[in-house]
Amino acid sequence: LVPPDLPWPTCEELDWARIHPYGHQPLFSGHGAFQRLRCGLAVIYAGEVRSGSTAQEQIGNKVLVQAAGRGSRIANAGYWRKGRHMRENTTVGRTHGDLAMLKRLNNSDIVVLKHHEYDSELLTLCTHQLVVTSCRDAETQAMSVSGSWGKQWSRSNKCSEARRTLRTARATSRCWEKHRWHSRTTYASLRKNPKAFAERLLQSAASILGWRAQAVDDVVNSLDEKSFGKGEANRLIPSSSGQGDASILVNECSPATLSLLYPCE
């Protein structure tokens, strides 16, 4: 078991712009750095694993395109520096994929991207940033994490791996949530009322970019249940895994043991 008094990771320890995981260097600083982007707003979907972040991304991108109108250019980066996220090692610091992505995003009014890890470099990506996070109650999140990735863990390590994953995710969220322009949603509220999430996101974007309130109202009023998908939003994860693995919640790995200090509220 992970000792209950194990120190939580700090933002400095989690910051991928500082620790250079798998040999990946920051894009815009240091030797050989790329030129910074010219873009107005970066919308960063940085929700915790298995907490609805993919659904946030899909809903958010759809309504942003509608609200921005034809005169705005919205560029989708997908998962930010995906090779790094997939733990691919590099000896060159920055890849051809990174450069190609930046060329595609430059001169955009809005850049949208997803990123589960903390990367402080993203907080200066565009002129403005809007960070969108999500969380979930510890019990169902642990079951979902175990159902998604538990087959990779040995039976004896399942509890400690789940707890490590959840603690890192929750600590990472707290790093993102220090940012001024930030919007947080719980998994339960997103499932219950995705329209409310869409409205809050658009209102934040409108405040930053100076959009007319009527443009936001028109998009929100046009939304209905058909506007939002059902079931597992991340097609890379089987829907059955979203139901979770209840075997994670044995005595030595109970919801109380998985207490994450920072509750999802």
Side-chain angles (χ1 to χ4, degrees), residues 56-57 59 108 110 125 144 166 168 196 199 224 243:
Q56 284 184 324
E57 179 185 23
I59 295 168
S108 299
I110 301 175
L125 184 66
S144 186
L166 295 175
T168 299
E199 183 174 14
D224 55 30
Q243 302 301 319

Side-chain angles (χ1 to χ4, degrees), residues 2-8 163 167:
V2 178
D5 58 349
L6 187 70
W8 280 65
R163 191 162 189 262
R167 283 168 61 94

Side-chain angles (χ1 to χ4, degrees), residues 62 194 222-230:
K62 179 175 182 177
S222 70
L223 299 175
D224 55 30
E225 289 187 4
K226 295 180 180 179
S227 302
F228 310 107
K230 300 293 184 181

Side-chain angles (χ1 to χ4, degrees), residues 35-54:
Q35 185 175 357
R36 287 192 172 275
L37 291 178
R38 293 184 296 273
C39 50
L41 171 66
V43 179
I44 304 165
Y45 300 102
E48 297 177 17
V49 293
R50 310 306 300 137
S51 69
S53 59
T54 302

Side-chain angles (χ1 to χ4, degrees), residues 29-258:
S29 62
H31 178 72
F34 297 143
Q35 185 175 357
R36 287 192 172 275
L37 291 178
R38 293 184 296 273
C39 50
L41 171 66
V43 179
I44 304 165
Y45 300 102
E48 297 177 17
V49 293
R50 310 306 300 137
S51 69
S53 59
T54 302
Q56 284 184 324
E57 179 185 23
Q58 292 172 354
I59 295 168
N61 289 353
K62 179 175 182 177
V63 297
L64 283 168
V65 168
Q66 292 176 329
R70 294 181 180 179
S72 299
R73 182 182 175 218
I74 298 181
N76 190 342
Y79 202 103
W80 185 254
R81 306 188 72 180
K82 191 170 184 179
R84 182 180 66 171
H85 169 66
M86 298 302 293
R87 281 51 175 171
E88 296 175 3
N89 291 307
T90 180
T91 59
V92 295
R94 306 171 187 91
T95 67
H96 292 297
D98 291 334
L99 180 58
M101 174 188 68
L102 294 180
K103 287 182 177 179
R104 181 164 48 86
L105 302 178
N106 203 25
N107 293 316
S108 299
D109 296 289
I110 301 175
V111 171
V112 294
L113 63 97
K114 182 176 178 180
H115 202 282
H116 281 311
E117 298 81 20
Y118 181 58
D119 183 348
S120 62
E121 189 171 50
L122 287 172
L123 295 176
T124 56
L125 184 66
C126 298
T127 303
H128 304 284
Q129 277 65 230
L130 172 60
V131 179
V132 182
T133 62
S134 56
C135 65
R136 191 173 182 175
D137 68 277
E139 182 171 346
T140 59
Q141 189 176 17
M143 290 170 60
S144 186
V145 164
S146 181
S148 301
W149 300 301
K151 292 180 180 179
Q152 304 173 29
W153 303 331
S154 68
R155 189 180 187 88
S156 60
N157 289 338
K158 184 178 285 190
C159 174
S160 60
E161 286 293 332
R163 191 162 189 262
R164 178 190 59 79
T165 299
L166 295 175
R167 283 168 61 94
T168 299
R170 193 61 50 91
T172 298
S173 279
R174 292 298 165 167
C175 295
W176 284 117
E177 288 167 6
K178 294 179 180 179
H179 183 56
R180 177 190 172 196
W181 285 101
H182 164 256
S183 176
R184 186 184 190 210
T185 305
T186 67
Y187 179 85
S189 64
L190 181 66
R191 298 279 293 191
K192 182 178 180 180
N193 193 351
K195 187 173 181 177
F197 162 74
E199 183 174 14
R200 287 197 307 273
L201 177 66
L202 288 181
Q203 288 173 342
S204 296
S207 296
I208 295 171
L209 296 176
W211 288 349
R212 294 181 302 108
Q214 188 61 49
V216 173
D217 293 341
D218 290 345
V219 172
V220 172
N221 292 335
S222 70
L223 299 175
D224 55 30
E225 289 187 4
K226 295 180 180 179
S227 302
F228 310 107
K230 300 293 184 181
E232 176 58 59
N234 191 337
R235 299 303 180 96
L236 298 179
I237 299 177
S239 294
S240 58
S241 70
Q243 302 301 319
D245 177 7
S247 68
I248 191 70
L249 302 176
V250 293
N251 290 337
E252 65 271 20
C253 197
S254 64
T257 306
L258 289 165

